[in-house]
Amino acid sequence: MVMLSRKWLKLLLGALGFYAGAASADYSLLNMTQGVTETSRAVYDLHMIIFWVCVVIGIVVFGAMIYSIINHRKSKGFKAAQFHESTTMEIVWTVIPIVILVSMAIPATKVLLAMEDTSDADMTIKVTGIQWKWKYDYIDGEAEGVSFVSSLHPDHNEARLLGVDADLERFEDTYLLEVDNPLVVPTGQKIRFLLTAADVIHAWWVPELGWKKDAIPGFINEGWTYIEEPGVYRGQCAELCGKDHGFMPIVVVAKSPSDYKAWVAEQKGAAALADASAGREWTKDELMVKGEAVYKTNCAACHLPNGAGVPPAFPALAGSPIAIGDAAAHIDMVMNGKSGTAMAAYKGILNDVDMAAVITYERNAWGNSASVVQPAEIKAKR
Amino acid sequence: MSTATATHDGDHHDHGPAKGLMRWITTTNHKDIGTLYLLFALIMFFIGGAMALVIRAELFQPGMQVVDPQFFNSMTTVHALLMIFGAVMPAFTGLANWLIPMQIGAPDMALPRMNNFSFWILPFAFTLLLSTFFMSGGGPAGGWTLYPPLSLQMGDGFPFMIFAIHLAGISSIMGSINVIVTILNMRAPGMTLMKMPLFVWTWLITAYLLIATMPVLAGAVTMLLTDKFAGTSFFSAAGGGDPVMYQHIFWFFGHPEVYILILPAFGIISAIVPTFARKPLFGYSSMVYATASIAFLSFIVWAHHMFTVGMPVVGELFFMYATMMIAVPTGVKIFNWVSTMWKGSMTFETPMLFAIGFIMMFTIGGFSGLMLAIAPADFQYHDTYFVVAHFHYVLVTGAVYSIMAAAYFWLPKWTGNMYDEKLGRIHFWISTISVNVLFFPQHFLGLAGMPRRIPDYAVQFADWNMISSIGGFVFGLSQLMFVWIIFKTIRGGEKATDEVWEGAKGLEWTLSSPPPYHSFNVAPEVK
């Protein structure tokens, strides 16, 4: 038996060596991030305190067990004692854990109260989870009125399809953690988030901010952050939300106040431009080019890039009666979605031009041939 | 003539089982039904395990190689449903059937026909559940917790899945009623409640938990059903309902369920450790009180599964404090087991190895549970691989290890044959090494930011996922050894004595190995 244990011990040490080898690649991958906010550092500290408490208790308990296993064995001729009760001991090991737990509960309560205090925010951003993307609305402050949808970056979206032999290394550490439109926030401001969802429950999580919170349809949750340093912070949806749950990342770009001002100006300029272009007549070619891009980001995950879909859950668009039939029904489907299915209402997600473009694209791609839809028609239906 | 009469008389007093397949379909014998339960659990363990291997195969490296995301989600969902309702719970019920009458000195369970019925519901329930994979829209893919609105997006299989859960629940409730009635009415003279073996005690408390919570689950899933088909809006904000309400109802069932899956394990370990330490269990009465405290606390901690849903801060504080309290009675149990080992005269046969493995690795799961109880830290841990690592430590190296320990411990009694000790030890060591390679790195993945239930991940998570998958395949395949060892023991082997183990105490060891078809026709006297 001793021989056997030695052999296993060697194997075990080998496995540990394997662990160490893999771990040395990036030590940060072993532990929670300290993050970039006061909150995230407080959470990290709590995590480390409770971790060390567990380690110390573990050493005592496992130490006693291992000592006993080594020494109190029949093969060494050890005779069993017959004690089986000790009220003193029972009290000791009830009281000591209670003391440890109370001393743990005090700092935890302090951090929790601070995390839940969303008062005195400098600005508010509404976050809406949608299968499978995020929508951001700037409610007040400099960027009031800015609103956009943030989806998995198209390059990543192509690389993650089943059976694609994609070179993932080129994305370095951002594979599946890159979006088309990141959430941009200023440093040095208390930002309040209002979280909700359009369809199912999602959860908004950026580890470096130190928390996650569920986004629940019909309800509004609150959270807040105060980022000190400019940087790019990545996270993803943390609540199972259907087929593409693993493919709805979050990217937060924190900019210095002056850079943030410039970004806001750019956004407002772009919005004005989009408004103006929605008024004019678009050619079919313009709509098709724009429509293909919109389709890839918003529709291809379910209806597939070639429009074949995955029936019956996700119907084919190529040759579909709606896509080649009356334009009004097609517009209604895209604008209002279909309840009880994963088909979302895109009214609040796409602007007039994007919606007109994607509908036109669906009506004229993959052998479909039907009418062109102009942005003005969408505007009229809102 | 006289010999014939004598034989007839013998038959009359101790008739054996019917022959052939009908024996198993019509049986009302606690041992036959126990065997059926255990066999069923083993089959479900392998089907659920195969699904886990599909998950680990997809996660072996980044990128999508094996299955599409929807099917991946149904694998995680059905793996959990099968392992919880199809493997661990029926295995414990099987052990209860085999052991409770033998441990309390009764001839059989109190309600034998209901016993037959509660088993035979199960194959239908799980056939129904698995059949949804062949329906339009596929199997359930919204997570085993079936949170709406996501679970309502399921295809044609939805009502079949709900019906399967109802059936499994009915089976559990009937099994529990049987356990309670048997324990309260059929104990041998002299066996007071505080003289019962701990396995009987933990099962008595578990049975009450089941009766209290299964109807709650049934109510929750029935509301899902009417939300989907009858136009109600229990869980839809658009109609005045609340999706979070479902989570409260579900976890009011779900948290006691966690203890349903572990309390009988505590009973098993409390039987095995004293046997191989050749020393009485330390703190018997504190073990009973600790079990009862855990059962009580399990009803007031449910919302720690929901720290991130946006509860009022007072609610979060309450559930954090209550959850931390559970560490106290659980700690008492661990300390008592260690004290039982202390100054014992230990030997390390396979059941003892699994029991020690249980104590150590269940404690690791307990530690991560304590970490998860700290609400602010849970905001980071929640829904990550850290949680996956936590509950697999308590369920695989906890509940499943206790079941394996029990199988090795009582198999010689049940079959009359000793299992192959060498193979048993090899099974233990391969399982224990691989299960840690499988689940320990998942702590790191979770802390580094990998959410659970995702089919593909950023490349920086690749190393640990690959290691975890290797561990998963070794662990999964090494369980075939378990089947082989059981098969071999049933077929034959060294004959077991009645006592089987040198330090074994309790009524079941006073019976012959294998025991008579009806355990105690004459009630033994307990002093």
Side-chain angles (χ1 to χ4, degrees):
Chain A
M1 194 53 209
V2 178
M3 287 294 288
L4 195 68
S5 333
R6 282 225 183 100
K7 207 163 77 192
W8 287 119
L9 197 68
K10 262 189 196 159
L11 267 176
L12 192 69
L13 288 174
L16 284 173
F18 189 26
Y19 273 23
S24 63
D26 187 354
Y27 179 73
S28 68
L29 281 180
L30 289 176
N31 201 358
M32 185 189 283
T33 172
Q34 301 202 29
V36 294
T37 66
E38 211 182 306
T39 305
S40 67
R41 284 189 292 270
V43 168
Y44 173 81
D45 289 342
L46 277 179
H47 159 69
M48 288 316 287
I49 298 172
I50 188 73
F51 170 72
W52 286 114
V53 167
C54 292
V55 169
V56 171
I57 300 174
I59 288 173
V60 174
V61 175
F62 294 152
M65 273 181 82
I66 290 165
Y67 179 87
S68 183
I69 289 170
I70 293 171
N71 293 295
H72 305 149
R73 33 171 87 216
K74 196 185 174 196
S75 57
K76 286 195 172 176
F78 199 91
K79 290 273 176 293
Q82 288 301 311
F83 65 85
H84 58 89
E85 234 169 26
S86 164
T87 313
T88 325
M89 289 307 288
E90 300 282 0
I91 292 172
V92 167
W93 60 51
T94 307
V95 172
I96 292 178
I98 290 177
V99 173
I100 295 172
L101 290 174
V102 171
S103 59
M104 215 33 244
I106 294 168
T109 304
K110 280 188 189 149
V111 175
L112 186 64
L113 291 175
M115 288 176 91
E116 295 292 346
D117 179 12
T118 54
S119 61
D120 298 323
D122 299 309
M123 61 179 286
T124 303
I125 298 171
K126 183 177 151 208
V127 178
T128 310
I130 303 161
Q131 283 175 321
W132 293 278
K133 48 187 130 320
W134 297 97
K135 186 177 183 222
Y136 299 109
D137 295 280
Y138 291 68
I139 303 289
D140 56 13
E142 294 169 71
E144 184 176 340
V146 171
S147 164
F148 55 87
V149 173
S150 177
S151 318
L152 179 65
H153 193 282
D155 292 348
H156 296 249
N157 204 21
E158 269 170 47
R160 63 97 177 177
L161 291 175
L162 181 62
V164 170
D165 194 15
D167 167 28
L168 305 180
E169 294 298 328
R170 76 194 148 109
F171 299 124
E172 293 179 351
D173 279 1
T174 69
Y175 174 56
L176 300 180
L177 298 175
E178 189 68 273
V179 294
D180 50 1
N181 304 306
L183 174 67
V184 178
V185 295
T187 56
Q189 288 200 31
K190 181 167 180 177
I191 303 159
R192 183 169 70 129
F193 293 98
L194 299 178
L195 303 120
T196 187
D199 34 46
V200 301
I201 301 172
H202 304 267
W204 197 80
W205 181 36
V206 179
E208 279 155 316
L209 305 186
W211 54 269
K212 69 174 67 70
K213 197 121 210 180
D214 290 1
I216 299 165
F219 291 82
I220 293 176
N221 272 331
E222 288 182 285
W224 67 274
T225 194
Y226 182 104
I227 302 173
E228 291 138 14
E229 294 298 322
V232 181
Y233 309 117
R234 297 172 197 277
Q236 59 193 113
C237 179
E239 177 70 49
L240 179 61
C241 58
K243 180 170 79 71
D244 283 351
H245 161 59
F247 308 100
M248 56 184 286
I250 298 156
V251 178
V252 176
V253 178
K255 289 182 188 282
S256 68
S258 58
D259 288 352
Y260 178 68
K261 223 181 216 30
W263 176 82
V264 171
E266 194 187 307
Q267 292 299 304
K268 296 212 157 160
L273 214 64
D275 258 8
S277 68
R280 74 174 168 86
E281 185 89 358
W282 284 57
T283 68
K284 184 177 173 188
D285 288 343
E286 282 177 315
L287 288 169
M288 287 298 282
V289 170
K290 189 158 192 66
E292 184 172 6
V294 176
Y295 182 85
K296 269 191 178 165
T297 334
N298 290 282
C299 319
C302 298
H303 297 292
L304 300 195
N306 62 5
V310 190
F314 309 113
L317 299 184
S320 124
I322 293 176
I324 55 176
D326 181 27
H330 193 168
I331 295 172
D332 178 61
M333 175 65 81
V334 179
M335 280 181 95
N336 301 314
K338 188 172 179 191
S339 66
T341 70
M343 180 62 198
Y346 281 84
K347 199 160 37 181
I349 301 172
L350 298 178
N351 65 28
D352 296 343
V353 175
D354 286 350
M355 194 169 316
V358 79
I359 294 173
T360 303
Y361 177 73
E362 286 170 2
R363 297 173 75 71
N364 293 284
W366 326 296
N368 287 359
S369 178
S371 59
V372 169
V373 173
Q374 287 293 334
E377 291 174 58
I378 306 290
K379 201 181 192 109
K381 289 220 155 77
R382 279 192 196 262
Chain B
M1 203 57 191
S2 61
T3 22
T5 318
T7 316
H8 184 262
D9 275 359
D11 276 347
H12 185 73
H13 287 294
D14 191 21
H15 63 85
K19 295 278 175 272
L21 189 64
M22 284 313 279
R23 164 179 176 185
W24 300 102
I25 292 171
T26 61
T27 183
T28 54
N29 180 277
H30 75 103
K31 298 186 184 75
D32 287 353
I33 294 172
T35 304
L36 286 171
Y37 266 111
L38 289 169
L39 194 66
F40 178 79
L42 196 62
I43 292 167
M44 288 296 136
F45 180 64
F46 275 89
I47 299 176
M51 291 180 178
L53 294 187
V54 172
I55 295 169
R56 283 321 318 172
E58 180 56 62
L59 293 174
F60 186 71
Q61 46 180 326
M64 298 297 295
Q65 295 90 9
V66 185
V67 290
D68 71 78
Q70 182 72 17
F71 190 75
F72 181 90
N73 289 346
S74 62
M75 285 292 105
T76 59
T77 304
V78 182
H79 162 71
L81 290 171
L82 286 190
M83 288 304 200
I84 293 169
F85 295 102
V88 174
M89 288 169 70
F92 281 139
T93 312
L95 291 171
N97 262 296
W98 257 104
L99 293 171
I100 288 175
M102 284 171 29
Q103 290 193 326
I104 64 174
D108 203 309
M109 296 293 276
L111 307 165
R113 287 195 185 87
M114 193 165 84
N115 206 7
N116 172 291
F117 190 44
S118 66
F119 170 76
W120 277 109
I121 289 178
L122 285 180
F124 294 94
F126 285 88
T127 307
L128 212 52
L129 179 64
L130 290 171
S131 71
T132 61
F133 276 102
F134 304 99
M135 296 178 191
S136 158
W144 80 277
T145 53
L146 310 176
Y147 284 0
L150 182 62
S151 61
L152 300 174
Q153 289 183 355
M154 191 181 162
D156 292 353
F158 184 77
F160 295 87
M161 171 193 70
I162 300 288
F163 190 43
I165 292 172
H166 277 145
L167 287 176
I170 292 169
S171 162
S172 290
I173 291 173
M174 291 199 299
S176 303
I177 291 172
N178 207 353
V179 164
I180 293 174
V181 175
T182 306
I183 294 173
L184 295 185
N185 291 298
M186 298 183 63
R187 295 193 312 279
M191 180 171 280
T192 59
L193 286 176
M194 289 307 277
K195 278 185 187 165
M196 294 194 310
L198 265 169
F199 180 73
V200 180
W201 252 118
T202 52
W203 240 111
L204 180 64
I205 292 170
T206 302
Y208 277 104
L209 289 182
L210 275 164
I211 289 178
T213 59
M214 276 296 159
V216 178
L217 175 68
V221 298
T222 306
M223 285 189 267
L224 285 180
L225 199 66
T226 62
D227 268 15
K228 175 113 175 159
F229 295 109
T232 58
S233 304
F234 290 111
F235 307 127
S236 158
D242 180 354
V244 177
M245 190 63 207
Y246 173 85
Q247 299 185 19
H248 281 290
I249 302 172
F250 180 86
W251 286 112
F252 185 81
F253 145 80
H255 201 77
E257 170 70 16
V258 172
Y259 291 95
I260 289 165
L261 298 172
I262 205 68
L263 292 184
F266 291 166
I268 292 165
I269 302 304
S270 301
I272 293 175
V273 172
T275 302
F276 294 96
R278 293 167 181 77
K279 186 165 161 282
L281 181 70
F282 188 87
Y284 171 88
S285 45
S286 74
M287 284 299 222
V288 174
Y289 300 140
T291 309
S293 315
I294 292 171
F296 169 75
L297 286 171
S298 76
F299 282 103
I300 58 164
V301 296
W302 74 88
H304 69 216
H305 297 270
M306 307 163 51
F307 277 142
T308 64
V309 298
M311 263 182 291
V313 71
V314 181
E316 290 178 333
L317 286 173
F318 170 78
F319 285 108
M320 174 168 79
Y321 299 151
T323 304
M324 290 167 83
M325 284 308 294
I326 290 195
V328 176
T330 314
V332 167
K333 291 199 161 284
I334 306 281
F335 300 140
N336 281 341
W337 288 322
V338 177
S339 305
T340 306
M341 290 165 68
W342 192 259
K343 298 208 168 174
S345 176
M346 281 189 280
T347 51
F348 301 92
E349 288 86 347
T350 311
M352 183 63 163
L353 290 176
F354 273 98
I356 291 173
F358 170 97
I359 299 173
M360 288 205 166
M361 289 182 280
F362 177 78
T363 303
I364 292 175
F367 286 147
S368 54
L370 191 55
M371 296 171 80
L372 284 158
I374 310 291
D378 180 77
F379 293 157
Q380 287 278 41
Y381 306 137
H382 184 81
D383 266 333
T384 68
Y385 260 87
F386 190 79
V387 178
V388 177
H390 159 71
F391 64 70
H392 281 100
Y393 263 90
V394 290
L395 286 178
V396 178
T397 56
V400 172
Y401 260 47
S402 79
I403 293 163
M404 288 178 179
Y408 283 112
F409 188 53
W410 280 293
L411 207 53
K413 168 58 63 186
W414 298 338
T415 60
N417 304 322
M418 291 306 285
Y419 62 87
D420 186 329
E421 184 63 46
K422 194 173 167 195
L423 283 181
R425 288 180 194 200
I426 294 171
H427 173 226
F428 169 78
W429 282 109
I430 292 182
S431 297
T432 302
I433 292 166
S434 60
V435 85
N436 282 290
V437 175
L438 164 58
F439 293 122
F440 209 80
Q442 296 184 358
H443 291 113
F444 305 145
L445 285 170
L447 293 175
M450 181 171 162
R452 62 193 282 208
R453 293 166 166 167
I454 58 172
D456 195 2
Y457 48 81
V459 286
Q460 60 268 37
F461 301 133
D463 291 352
W464 294 121
N465 270 301
M466 188 176 283
I467 291 170
S468 180
S469 289
I470 292 169
F473 278 95
V474 176
F475 180 74
L477 294 176
S478 61
Q479 299 322 306
L480 293 171
M481 270 189 80
F482 185 50
V483 178
W484 169 243
I485 294 167
I486 293 172
F487 179 74
K488 216 176 129 187
T489 312
I490 294 172
R491 288 288 296 276
E494 187 195 330
K495 292 290 160 234
T497 61
D498 290 355
E499 201 191 15
V500 183
W501 309 108
E502 189 186 31
K505 296 270 179 332
L507 289 178
E508 75 265 37
W509 309 108
T510 63
L511 291 169
S512 60
S513 299
Y517 198 55
H518 295 288
S519 300
F520 287 96
N521 276 330
V522 179
E525 193 79 34
V526 179
K527 295 202 180 64

